[in-house]
């Protein structure tokens, strides 16, 4: 079969780095295939007339881009995917690649599954490992595919080369969509207290805060929170007026310190939800970790009744 006739369809900004004739093993059987390496993914295309590529929870597609039709087979009840025999594995799914013998490479995926690629000789195997390793674990962010990807422009939209990716997300427009800004709402305002990320490096430059809370009060609340992460709104349900806030632990310490500005900020946020409802705190730490933080780091926990711990481990 002419390898040129097997060239896969590439995305905008995706470039083909190399291609290798080989056999590929996803579970127990070897499948004759061609492996294409691009700046975004590995594309495995079977050379069998009626290809059966075996794997679990991998994205197997037909030439039209849709999912291949699956069928059960084999005593071990593996999940078989049948179609054009194309498996597409993003480079970001690769956690490790190493030589398993002179002619083979084993690719470990992030879900702990292995893909074995058997090449024709030692030099080809070494070349394949070097290329995949360099593309999967490149240290320069500018080499990542996200910076070269371009969406296909529509006739009514500007050319993708004219789109500034840094301006695709407009925070003010997003908060207007959540009906926290604009319309008849004057409860919230935009604060530039974190301009240039000078207050908190993990928060955005512009912050939506209650209109009745001054920037000085925000600064006082930030000083009371670990890493200056004071309570900030991140989501709003327009129908129920339910709101989601995020913050770090309060630095109450062993003496049980309090901050009137922080308490006023929290009380104002709760009042804006209306209906006299209270606040529920979800603490991503375990209860024991929260207690340890109070003794070792001067931290603590919120002084409210409903606190749920260990959410991160749930």
């Amino acid at each position: 079969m002419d390898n040129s006739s097997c060239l896969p369809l590439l995305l905008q900004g995706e470039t083909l780095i190399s291609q290798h004739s080989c056999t590929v093993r996803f579970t127990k059987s070897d499948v004759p295939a061609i492996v294409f390496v691009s700046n975004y993914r590995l594309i495995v295309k079977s050379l069998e007339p009626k290809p059966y590529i075996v794997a679990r929870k991998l994205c197997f597609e037909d030439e039209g881009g849709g999912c291949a039709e699956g069928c059960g087979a084999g005593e071990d009840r593996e999940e078989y995917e049948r179609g054009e025999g194309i498996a597409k594995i993003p480079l970001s799914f690769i956690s490790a690649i190493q030589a398993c013998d002179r002619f083979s490479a084993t690719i470990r995926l992030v879900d702990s599954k292995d893909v074995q690629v058997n090449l024709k000789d030692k030099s080809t195997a070494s070349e394949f490992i070097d290329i995949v390793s360099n593309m999967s674990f490149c240290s320069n962010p500018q080499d990542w595919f996200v910076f070269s990807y371009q969406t296909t422009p529509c006739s009514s939209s500007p050319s993708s080369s004219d789109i500034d990716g840094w301006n695709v997300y407009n925070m003010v427009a997003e908060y207007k969509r959540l009906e926290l800004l604009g319309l008849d709402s004057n409860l919230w305002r935009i604060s530039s207290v974190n301009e240039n990320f000078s207050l908190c490096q993990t928060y955005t430059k512009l912050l939506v805060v209650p209109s009745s809370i001054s920037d000085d009060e925000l600064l006082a609340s930030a000083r009371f929170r670990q890493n200056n992460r004071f309570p900030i709104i991140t989501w709003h349900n327009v129908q129920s007026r339910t709101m989601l806030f995020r913050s770090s632990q309060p630095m109450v310490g062993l003496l049980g310190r309090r901050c009137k500005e922080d308490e006023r900020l929290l009380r104002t946020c709760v009042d804006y939800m209306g209906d006299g409802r209270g606040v529920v705190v979800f603490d991503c730490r375990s209860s024991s970790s929260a207690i340890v933080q109070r003794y070792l780091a001067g931290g603590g926990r919120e002084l409210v009744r409903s606190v749920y711990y260990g959410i991160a481990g749930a």
Side-chain angles (χ1 to χ4, degrees), residues 294-312:
R294 183 173 183 179
Y295 284 90
L296 296 182
R301 47 190 176 181
E302 307 293 340
L303 300 177
V304 296
R305 181 174 300 176
S306 300
V307 182
Y308 296 86
Y309 293 98
I311 302 301

Side-chain angles (χ1 to χ4, degrees), residues 220-227 248-260 262-263 266 283 285 289-304 309:
S221 175
R223 288 191 294 268
F224 182 65
R225 297 277 173 169
Q226 188 177 44
N227 297 326
S248 60
Q249 64 176 339
M251 306 303 289
V252 297
L254 294 175
L255 300 179
R257 290 188 297 268
R258 300 180 64 172
C259 175
K260 63 180 182 180
D262 186 79
E263 293 178 14
L266 283 173
D283 197 320
R285 306 168 296 177
S289 177
I291 295 174
V292 170
Q293 284 292 312
R294 183 173 183 179
Y295 284 90
L296 296 182
R301 47 190 176 181
E302 307 293 340
L303 300 177
V304 296
Y309 293 98

Side-chain angles (χ1 to χ4, degrees), residues 222-240:
R223 288 191 294 268
F224 182 65
R225 297 277 173 169
Q226 188 177 44
N227 297 326
N228 293 337
R229 290 196 287 263
F230 60 92
I232 195 73
I233 187 169
T234 60
W235 178 77
H236 174 221
N237 185 299
V238 178
Q239 285 73 32
S240 66

Side-chain angles (χ1 to χ4, degrees), residues 11-117:
L11 301 175
Q12 294 290 326
E14 184 179 11
T15 57
L16 200 61
I17 307 299
S18 65
Q19 64 184 67
H20 307 269
S21 297
C22 58
T23 61
V24 179
R25 175 180 298 181
F26 287 101
T27 52
K28 296 181 180 180
S29 58
D30 292 338
V31 178
I34 299 177
V35 176
F36 299 91
V37 183
S38 76
N39 59 337
Y40 168 52
R41 55 189 170 176
L42 299 183
I43 303 175
V44 182
K45 186 162 187 177
S46 172
L47 298 179
E48 289 187 342
K50 294 182 179 180
Y52 285 83
I53 296 183
V54 185
R56 286 182 176 176
K57 297 183 180 179
L58 285 176
C59 180
F60 292 85
E61 303 175 357
D62 56 28
E63 286 290 4
C67 293
E69 179 181 340
C71 64
E75 295 181 356
D76 53 1
R77 297 185 180 179
E78 293 286 357
E79 295 180 4
Y80 282 71
E81 299 289 348
R82 180 177 60 185
E84 295 299 324
I86 297 179
K88 301 175 183 179
I89 307 173
L91 296 174
S92 59
F93 282 14
I94 298 175
S95 62
I97 180 172
Q98 61 183 6
C100 58
D101 58 40
R102 291 186 300 169
F103 304 151
S104 301
T106 298
I107 300 173
R108 172 61 59 90
L109 305 180
V110 293
D111 58 358
S112 298
K113 294 180 175 64
D114 291 335
V115 178
Q116 182 173 321
V117 180

Side-chain angles (χ1 to χ4, degrees), residues 13-18 20 36-42 89-94 97 127-146 148:
E14 184 179 11
T15 57
L16 200 61
I17 307 299
S18 65
H20 307 269
F36 299 91
V37 183
S38 76
N39 59 337
Y40 168 52
R41 55 189 170 176
L42 299 183
I89 307 173
L91 296 174
S92 59
F93 282 14
I94 298 175
I97 180 172
E127 177 189 9
F128 175 77
I129 292 173
D130 288 342
I131 292 175
V132 175
S133 179
N134 291 335
M135 297 302 301
S136 301
F137 312 112
C138 60
S139 57
N140 184 7
Q142 295 299 325
D143 293 334
W144 296 347
F145 176 68
V146 65
S148 60

